[in-house]
Amino acid sequence: MTNQQSTRMVIAFRYGSLTISAVGLGWAVVFAAIGWWVVVALDVAIIATGVATYLLIRQGQLAFGLLASQVALMSIAITMGLVLDVPNAEAPRVTHLYLLVIAALGYLNYQRQKSYIQLVLIGVCLLAFVVLASAPVALPFAVHMPEIVRSIGTWANTVIAITMLAGCIYAMQAEFTRQDGFSRDITAALWNNEFHLAYQPQVDLARSVVGAEALLRWTNPHRGAVSPAEFIPHAERAGLMVPIGEWVLEQGCRTLADWAQHPALRELTLAINVSASQLLHDGFEAAVQKALATTGADPRRLTLELTESVLVTDIDLVAAKLDSLHELGITISLDDFGTGYSSLSYLRRLPIQQLKIDRGFVQDAVKTVRSASLVENVVRIGRDLGQTVLAEGVETEGQHALLAGAGCVLFQGYLYGRPMPLSDFECHVEVEKGTPSISSELLAS
C-alpha cells in the first residue's frame, strides 16, 4: 500500500467495490428469475470484479486492484451498452452512465497516485461515454429485451449510476478538503514548533558512532505522530519544503555548534536531507551560509544528502550549486544510490563525496548472489571515484558482515540504533565514549 493514501480513501474504495458487487447481485437475481442467462453471466462478472477488488485492497494491492477493476468494469459497461442496452423509441441507453462513475473513480485513484495508465483508462472511459451517448451504435448480435424490463432497467440504472456518481463527487470533495486541511496543519506546524528532529547513528567498521542523520518528525496535537512518508509529499505539493528545509538546516547546524563544545561529540558529523525543490530554490546557497554563520557550525561536519531525482533536473545548475556548497567544506552525499537516475557521467561531473547504498540493495544482498555482486560493484565504483560508501538500512549481522567484506566503511540502520531524540543520541555516544554528554551536564547543573 502506498504511503500517500488516506485511510478514508482506502475504506471508500473497499466498500465501493462491495457496492458494485451488490448491484451486480441484484440484477443477477432479476435476470435469473426471467431466464436471461447471458445477462446473468455479465452480472456474475460484475460480482466477481467487485469481490476480487475488495480482496486485493484487503491484501494491500490497492493500485493493482483499482486499475484491474476499472478495466473489467469498463469492458462490461461497453459490452452491455452495445449488446443489451441498445436505444430505441421507447427507452434510451443508460448503461453508459456507469462509464462516468468508472472515470470518476479513476480520477480519485489518480489523485492518490499519479499514473499514465490511469490517465489512459480515464480517457478511454470518457471517449466510450461520448460515443455511446451520441450514437445508437450496437453490435449485430444485440439482444432485444422486453419493453417492461427495459423500462424498469432504464430508471433503475439511471438512479443507481447517478447515486454512485454523486458518491464519487462527495469523496473527491472530502479528499480535497482533507488535503487542504493537511496543508494548513503543516504550515501551522512551522509556527507552533510541532516539528522536531530524530537522530539515527552512523557508525564505522568498528561500530563506533561517527555521526548521525537528522530525520524530520512531526507530532500534531490532534493527529498525533504523523509519518514523514505521509506529510512530506503533501508539503512538496503545497510548496512548503523550502521553509521546512530551512528550519531543519538551522536546527541541524545549531546541533553541530553545540556538539563542537563537547569533547565526545565535536568530531561527529551530521547528515541533513535536502529535497530537489529546496536545492533548486534560488536562495538555497544563501540559506545554508546564513545557517552556518548564525549558529557558528563547522561546515566540515555537515553533510547534505540529495536524492537521485535531483539529477534529472538542470545538471549544470545543480553542479554549480553543489560546487559552491562544497567550497564551504560541506560534504555532498547521494542518497538511495542505484534506485533512480544516476550514471557514471553524473558522478564524475558533480562534487559528490559520499554514496549511500539504498536499503533495498542491502536487504537483498544476503538473499541472492546477484544482489551481493551489485553491492560489491557499487562499493568499487565509489572507491574508484574517491567517494566513501555508506550502507543504510542495515538490520542484521549477516548484512553487516557482507557489506564490510565488500569494502563498505560506514553503516546506518536498526542494527546500530533507531532514530532517537537528541538527548538519547548524546547519551548513546556518552556511553560509548565514556564521557558525560551535553544533556547529562545540563541535568547535573
Side-chain angles (χ1 to χ4, degrees), residues 9 19 66 116 133 138 183 206 209 269 297 336 347 366 375 391 407:
M9 290 304 298
T19 301
L66 291 178
Y116 288 114
S183 297
V209 177
T269 61
D336 297 333
L347 296 181
V366 296
V375 168

Side-chain angles (χ1 to χ4, degrees), residues 190 193-200 212-219 228 231-232 241 243-256 258-259 270-273 302 418-426:
L190 273 173
N193 296 318
E194 296 173 9
F195 289 119
H196 61 277
L197 297 180
Y199 296 78
Q200 186 170 29
E213 180 180 1
L215 300 168
L216 181 63
R217 297 291 184 263
W218 177 27
T219 302
F231 74 79
I232 287 180
M241 279 311 299
I244 291 176
E246 290 179 354
W247 180 89
V248 172
L249 185 63
E250 182 177 349
Q251 294 301 311
C253 288
R254 198 175 303 281
T255 297
L256 278 175
D258 291 339
W259 286 354
L270 185 63
I272 295 175
N273 291 281
L302 177 63
R418 293 175 176 269
M420 60 189 78
L422 178 60
S423 59
D424 291 351
F425 173 78
E426 292 173 347

Side-chain angles (χ1 to χ4, degrees), residues 11-33:
I11 294 174
F13 283 128
R14 185 185 300 173
Y15 287 102
S17 63
L18 292 180
T19 301
I20 291 171
S21 294
V23 172
L25 178 61
W27 284 118
V29 171
V30 171
F31 286 106

